[in-house]
Amino acid sequence: MTIMRTLLLAAAVPVVFAQTQTQPAGSPFPSSTYENATDPRAQAGAVSGQTSPPKYPSPWGEGLGDWDAAYAQAHDFVSQLTLTEKVNLTTGVGWQSEKCVGNTGSIPRLGFKALCMQDSPLGVRFADFVSAFPAGGTIAATWDRKLFYQRGYGMGSEHKEKGIDAQLGPVVGPLGRQAAGGRNWEGFSPDPVLAGIACAETVKGIQDAGVMSTTKHYILNEQEHFRQGAPPASLGLNALSSNVDDVTMHELYLWPFADAVRAGTVSIMCSYNQINNSQACQNSYTQNYLLKNELGFQGFIMSDWAATHSGVSSALAGLDQTMPGDIAFNSGTTYFGTNLTIAVLNGTVPQWRLDDMAVRIIAAWYYVDRPGNQVADAPNFSSWTSDTDGFRHYYQSLDYQRVNDHIDVRGNHGAEIRAQAAAGTVLLKNTGALPLSGKEQLTSVFGEDAAENPLGPNGCSDRGCDEGTLAMGWGSGTANFPYLVTPLEAIKAEVLSNGGSFESVTDNYAYSTIAALGRRTAQVGGACIAFGNADAGEGYITVDNNTGDRNNLTIWGDFDLLVANLTAQCNNTIVVLHTVGPVITNSFVDNPNVTAIIWAGIPGQESGNAITDILFGKVNPGGKLPFTIGSSRGEYGTEILYEPNNGNNSPQDNFEEGIFIDYRAFDKLGETPVFEFGLGLSYTTFSYSDLGVQAHSAPAYTAPSGNTGPAPTYGTVSNITSSYVFPASIDRIWNYIYPYLNSTSLSVSSGDPAYGINYTWPAGSYDSSSQPYVAAGGAPGGNPRLYDVLFTVTATITNTGDVVGDEVAQLYVNLGGADDAKVVLRNFDRLTIQPGATATFSADITRRDLSNWDSASQNWFISSATKTIFVGSSSRKLPLTTTLDLSGIITGPGSGGNGTAPVYPSSSASGYSSSATSSGDGSSSASTSVGSSVSVSSASSPTGYSSSFTTSAKPSGPAGYSHSSPPAYSPTGYRA
Ligand code: NOJ
């Protein structure tokens, strides 16, 4: 649609724009052709090239699923709002302009407080008297739904008590494509089912505590290098483009986001990277089509910090809220704010789109009952100082007041964290050394990783160093430790309580001292326990030359040498690893003097107590690896892109391996893992028997019927521009982002020399008419029929040992197609079984679990290939197997979906037609005619979103208060 904006500047600006365009013919996300693709499906696509098709209009929220009550409340609320009040909800006030890492404007007239958005996925960031929970990867290693939920609820409660509205977590992007990915530890697992279940339970926990969860980073944010372009910034590269095909998108990366949406996550953060060469936060395909249409997401999309690259383009492509509000940190400029007000007044953003943004945000707020979960004087802490008093507007050095109430919100979470970390500890090797009896005459501990950082547990800003024991990675995914129990002190306390003798050497390079203590320990039949780690984090911090992503998979601190030196003397060496992901263990794994190996993950504040519980047998290990440990990084089949590969243009990261990451890659490539995905030993043993399969009747897989209503609007927007000029009653804060106009002239107010030029917006982006649901959609999480249970699998697990123990029984499926993975995880359960006793493992298989994605029909289908199921204790120990009887299930792509067998009586659920239909988006090849509009950059956007609200020089703080600099961070980035 071409908009002659100069014509719209007259006083009678038509506010509700004529909205009669129809959506362009639908097009599947291209199955990009990669010459060297190792997954055939990534090669044999209908459309070549890595582009992201335009998908408009942006779906308006309707209150689908269980969102109806929240939407009814939101409609009432938003109907009362003025234009600038609505805009205030969509825009952060600027980096460090208020106390949280992200803050919206407020609506004082209605008593609505500014929203506070705060990291992190493992606890409250930048606050005191909070808990440091185990990281995502460690809780994933528990494979325990109850603990996923418990941790989520604990974190949510602490956020609530600090007065936070949205916790910026959990993380399922990165999923963990590359073993060395810097932020994998913030997420759960490279397996989408484990990640999806862990994410869903975490979301429920956080939100049941009365706080909004922000599942992030959407999507394909799989590495830190080039996530925002450079480092180094001087290269001027655009953000890396993760190029993926449609099948891989659905069967792997989108999967856990679907689980998050289905679990009710009210907010999703779009990421820094591009997807198929369109920025994530203005990618109409991933936001409008996949997330809001196919997955039926009813909440709001929040940008990652400074990941917004345009105004109108982003709004039309589905972005609902820009954070922290300013274009670049502290620039004083914004793509939304004033410019969104202008865009609505001149018609470039239709009122219905702004209303949808506001409704989604307010519905999210009601959905988790934020009104019923307020605390006094929220937020009661400041991210920017730990002093009691400080500036409320930190960047501006304004409003010096009490900013930290130092409220202790930890409750009994310390005990829970200890149990969670122990439950997520994975025993990888044990030749009988463990558990320790407690009667050892001498117990010796080795390695810097056992001890405390000499600067204290919070000594390095955002944990941006690797000093002392590793209990958290680095970056924004951190929280301050309230204390950190080190392995050294906990083991020592245990040994002393048993009357034993204890010594340690925590200098990794004190070779002769290590050797001497090792020899002495061995001579008295004692135990040598060696601690090692490998760290990673967010790319704005570089630690030991690792710019977020790890440079390699080795264990840090020359640990291999330490172990070689120690094992030459000590024949009972127990290795404990605190690592952010897989590490290479080749040098010691088969050494007979290494009598045990434990992966203790990233355990949080109770690290020492948790590992002591395991070492001394107070807790029987039951954790299982959430990733594969191989013998070389090459075996993983994926690699970090460390060097730019596209000149000065966006680095191109082609996901040529398709769905084959982690254990799927090892299986496909015929590699033998050192420790496979799902592996974890116990102090007891288990046997598997009696596989059973029960088929269920389920409704047919049908497409949702009917259409949405037309886009609603709430309240009317006056086009008298003087109503929106900065109110004289408000003291304007320097560099703060506001929704108000600077002038009654929209052109002057924009401050953009290009204001008013002709521009063609993507076809369909103004269409407010009712839209068809897509076949795979219709409800939060996608078509509800995908979650129908088709089979239940049972097995008997017997504890064949002498002690009570936990076993995580795992269900895998082979989907039977030539291009399918050998096995994919589909379900699991953690069972506590008494010695000699049996337990029944029972796991459902849903329609989605048996389906493949068909790009042409844009729908899931069950192929006619034989479906084989496996049950066992790891991805490679699968003693029980059988095939599923698919008789009667309609199979094949484009067949109208995977309808259900006549043997399963079909009943049509309300709102669903009796037969599946092809996607309303059709299967024609991609129309890229307006594709360029999808990724309009700020530079080329005529929306003029360079408007500045910088009106005065930065004031200095009151006498006696210097404006202290934020903690140092790398020149390549910032600390958001
Ligand atoms: C950038 C990070 O990618 C994101 O995870 C975080 O929530 C924001 N900064 C805010 O700190």
Side-chain angles (χ1 to χ4, degrees):
M1 169 173 283
T2 299
I3 297 172
M4 300 288 291
R5 289 201 301 167
T6 36
L7 299 179
L8 301 179
L9 297 181
V13 174
V15 171
V16 180
F17 210 74
Q19 296 158 350
T20 51
Q21 293 256 333
T22 50
Q23 192 171 353
S27 50
F29 203 47
S31 293
S32 306
T33 298
Y34 304 122
E35 280 180 13
N36 301 314
T38 51
D39 180 352
R41 283 168 304 199
Q43 198 171 36
V47 183
S48 67
Q50 299 85 18
T51 56
S52 199
K55 284 290 186 179
Y56 298 93
S58 186
W60 37 93
E62 298 180 283
L64 297 178
D66 60 356
W67 283 75
D68 46 348
Y71 263 70
Q73 290 170 296
H75 292 162
D76 289 347
F77 187 93
V78 172
S79 298
Q80 306 171 57
L81 302 186
T82 64
L83 170 59
T84 48
E85 286 169 341
K86 290 173 186 169
V87 170
N88 238 2
L89 294 171
T90 69
T91 310
V93 296
W95 180 239
Q96 297 181 321
S97 288
E98 294 283 355
K99 288 157 70 176
C100 302
V101 298
N103 312 268
T104 65
S106 59
I107 306 173
R109 188 172 65 86
L110 299 176
F112 184 87
K113 284 186 176 170
L115 299 177
C116 162
M117 322 301 199
Q118 191 73 8
D119 296 306
S120 78
L122 58 63
V124 182
R125 185 184 182 204
F126 291 147
D128 55 10
F129 305 105
V130 298
S131 301
F133 289 79
T138 299
I139 203 70
T142 69
W143 298 60
D144 188 328
R145 287 171 171 81
K146 288 190 298 300
L147 295 183
F148 299 156
Y149 179 89
Q150 181 195 64
R151 172 176 169 272
Y153 191 85
M155 295 191 300
S157 309
E158 297 197 11
H159 280 79
K160 178 180 87 172
E161 295 300 326
K162 288 286 183 184
I164 294 159
D165 293 284
Q167 176 179 355
L168 303 177
V171 171
V172 285
L175 186 65
R177 173 180 180 247
Q178 300 100 321
R183 302 185 73 179
N184 294 356
W185 59 275
E186 291 187 50
F188 300 104
S189 165
D191 181 86
V193 169
L194 178 54
I197 291 172
C199 180
E201 295 303 315
T202 306
V203 162
K204 288 181 207 161
I206 292 171
Q207 297 193 165
D208 283 355
V211 166
M212 302 193 274
S213 70
T214 303
T215 302
K216 64 188 188 182
H217 308 83
Y218 185 72
I219 191 171
L220 307 187
N221 190 169
E222 294 293 322
Q223 67 169 57
E224 290 301 284
H225 281 73
F226 316 118
R227 67 174 187 171
Q228 289 162 286
S234 55
L235 272 180
L237 301 168
N238 290 322
L240 169 133
S241 176
S242 297
N243 300 324
V244 76
D245 67 277
D246 193 29
V247 172
T248 303
M249 178 63 108
H250 281 86
E251 294 188 12
L252 192 59
Y253 297 101
L254 192 61
W255 185 291
F257 281 101
D259 289 324
V261 173
R262 188 155 182 264
T265 193
V266 299
S267 173
I268 286 190
M269 185 188 291
C270 53
S271 54
Y272 284 126
N273 55 290
Q274 302 193 63
I275 302 109
N276 290 10
N277 293 292
S278 176
Q279 279 290 343
C281 291
Q282 61 188 41
N283 187 316
S284 64
Y285 194 88
T286 55
Q287 297 189 138
N288 283 346
Y289 182 67
L290 290 181
L291 185 54
K292 289 186 171 175
N293 200 342
E294 185 182 317
L295 296 189
F297 177 53
Q298 302 296 295
F300 65 99
I301 301 179
M302 176 198 303
S303 77
D304 200 341
W305 269 229
T308 307
H309 293 273
S310 62
V312 174
S313 298
S314 294
L316 297 179
L319 180 67
D320 299 303
Q321 187 180 72
T322 187
M323 279 290 155
D326 31 20
I327 291 175
F329 286 11
N330 306 126
S331 63
T333 60
T334 183
Y335 288 120
F336 281 15
T338 298
N339 282 308
L340 188 51
T341 303
I342 294 171
V344 174
L345 287 172
N346 71 18
T348 47
V349 170
Q351 187 196 333
W352 61 258
R353 180 72 268 272
L354 174 67
D355 286 358
D356 181 52
M357 295 165 152
V359 164
R360 285 173 176 275
I361 294 164
I362 294 296
W365 189 74
Y366 280 119
Y367 186 87
V368 303
D369 190 20
R370 285 300 301 144
N373 285 286
Q374 298 287 322
V375 298
D377 303 322
N380 53 38
F381 71 102
S382 169
S383 301
W384 319 120
T385 177
S386 47
D387 288 344
T388 304
D389 296 329
F391 293 107
R392 172 179 160 191
H393 308 297
Y394 178 81
Y395 182 70
Q396 292 86 357
S397 300
L398 278 177
D399 282 1
Y400 195 79
Q401 55 186 232
R402 184 181 176 99
V403 290
N404 277 311
D405 291 340
H406 308 295
I407 295 174
D408 192 327
V409 296
R410 293 173 297 156
N412 67 341
H413 300 154
E416 292 179 357
I417 288 168
R418 177 176 183 161
Q420 291 161 9
T425 298
V426 184
L427 180 62
L428 297 172
K429 174 180 178 180
N430 186 14
T431 59
L434 294 179
L436 297 172
S437 67
K439 297 191 168 56
E440 292 78 14
Q441 191 174 354
L442 174 59
T443 302
S444 302
V445 163
F446 301 86
E448 180 185 322
D449 182 66
E452 182 149 312
N453 179 351
L455 298 174
N458 300 316
C460 301
S461 172
D462 286 341
R463 311 297 82 78
C465 64
D466 186 33
E467 303 285 338
T469 193
L470 184 71
M472 211 180 274
W474 73 73
S476 67
T478 52
N480 288 338
F481 288 105
Y483 57 81
L484 173 54
V485 179
T486 65
L488 188 69
E489 58 193 335
I491 296 171
K492 184 176 183 176
E494 174 67 24
V495 170
L496 299 193
S497 74
N498 295 328
S501 186
F502 178 90
E503 290 189 44
S504 61
V505 183
T506 56
D507 177 347
N508 281 20
Y509 303 96
Y511 298 122
S512 58
T513 317
I514 290 170
L517 179 58
R519 177 148 73 238
R520 213 148 45 77
T521 309
Q523 285 172 356
V524 297
C528 301
I529 312 173
F531 284 82
N533 71 38
D535 203 355
E538 200 173 340
Y540 67 89
I541 296 175
T542 295
V543 176
D544 283 351
N545 290 323
N546 296 269
T547 304
D549 306 311
R550 284 186 283 164
N551 291 334
N552 51 53
L553 301 184
T554 58
I555 306 173
W556 293 27
D558 282 335
F559 185 71
D560 286 2
L561 205 52
L562 183 157
V563 174
N565 189 33
L566 179 59
T567 51
Q569 305 298 332
C570 183
N571 62 358
N572 185 19
T573 297
I574 296 154
V575 171
V576 180
L577 300 172
H578 290 122
T579 73
V580 287
V583 284
I584 305 300
T585 57
N586 303 352
S587 77
F588 57 81
V589 65
D590 294 325
N591 182 331
N593 288 347
V594 172
T595 49
I597 302 177
I598 294 174
W599 183 72
I602 300 294
Q605 69 190 43
E606 289 281 334
S607 171
N609 286 332
I611 192 64
T612 303
D613 289 344
I614 294 288
L615 288 169
F616 290 87
K618 297 178 178 184
V619 172
N620 190 351
K624 303 270 186 173
L625 270 187
F627 49 73
T628 300
I629 292 183
S631 58
S632 77
R633 68 185 305 179
E635 290 173 336
Y636 290 84
T638 51
E639 197 41 278
I640 301 282
L641 188 68
Y642 290 105
E643 298 295 331
N645 62 359
N646 194 20
N648 261 355
N649 298 318
S650 167
Q652 299 292 298
D653 197 3
N654 294 336
F655 287 31
E656 298 172 340
E657 72 290 344
I659 63 160
F660 294 97
I661 65 170
D662 200 73
Y663 68 89
R664 302 167 181 210
F666 278 73
D667 285 346
K668 182 181 171 65
L669 300 172
E671 313 281 3
T672 304
V674 177
F675 298 113
E676 74 267 19
F677 174 85
L679 173 84
L681 306 175
S682 165
Y683 297 152
T684 186
T685 48
F686 300 97
S687 69
Y688 284 68
S689 60
D690 301 335
L691 184 64
V693 178
Q694 190 194 349
H696 299 287
S697 67
Y701 181 61
T702 53
S705 60
N707 293 341
T708 71
T713 53
Y714 299 98
T716 52
V717 173
S718 149
N719 56 18
I720 301 167
T721 55
S722 57
S723 322
Y724 308 112
V725 170
F726 207 106
S729 56
I730 296 182
D731 281 342
R732 185 182 287 194
I733 299 171
W734 170 80
N735 223 62
Y736 202 87
I737 305 299
Y738 292 101
Y740 305 115
L741 303 181
N742 289 312
S743 157
T744 52
S745 156
L746 299 183
S747 164
V748 170
S749 197
S750 80
D752 184 353
Y755 188 88
I757 65 167
N758 292 341
Y759 192 74
T760 302
W761 296 103
S765 50
Y766 292 86
D767 184 359
S768 61
S769 66
S770 70
Q771 303 288 317
Y773 295 110
V774 297
N783 191 319
R785 301 274 72 86
L786 290 169
Y787 300 93
D788 288 337
V789 175
L790 301 188
F791 298 94
T792 297
V793 175
T794 52
T796 300
I797 320 293
T798 306
N799 182 340
T800 49
D802 301 330
V803 288
V804 61
D806 284 5
E807 172 66 341
V808 179
Q810 300 160 41
L811 168 67
Y812 293 80
V813 176
N814 172 262
L815 293 172
D819 299 332
D820 287 321
K822 186 173 173 194
V823 292
V824 286
L825 179 73
R826 284 300 183 251
N827 213 334
F828 56 85
D829 198 13
R830 182 165 174 148
L831 304 161
T832 300
I833 312 175
Q834 297 298 322
T838 62
T840 301
F841 168 61
S842 177
D844 291 337
I845 299 179
T846 66
R847 179 175 273 118
R848 182 177 68 150
D849 290 334
L850 296 181
S851 295
N852 288 96
W853 179 256
D854 177 43
S855 209
S857 63
Q858 286 291 285
N859 206 353
W860 296 96
F861 71 102
I862 295 178
S863 79
S864 58
T866 304
K867 311 286 175 237
T868 311
I869 60 159
F870 304 86
V871 172
S873 60
S874 82
S875 59
R876 292 212 164 197
K877 293 188 181 63
L878 297 166
L880 307 181
T881 183
T882 189
T883 56
L884 295 178
D885 179 4
L886 298 183
S887 56
I889 290 185
I890 303 166
T891 57
S895 63
N898 42 342
T900 305
V903 291
Y904 308 139
S906 161
S907 65
S908 185
S910 159
Y912 286 80
S913 65
S914 57
S915 69
T917 59
S918 298
S919 161
D921 295 321
S923 56
S924 60
S925 59
S927 161
T928 53
S929 58
V930 293
S932 61
S933 300
V934 181
S935 50
V936 169
S937 71
S938 55
S940 60
S941 170
T943 55
Y945 279 16
S946 56
S947 171
S948 164
F949 238 82
T950 309
T951 53
S952 60
K954 179 182 174 184
S956 54
Y961 300 108
S962 64
H963 181 279
S964 59
S965 304
Y969 34 88
S970 116
T972 55
Y974 48 78
R975 62 174 186 160

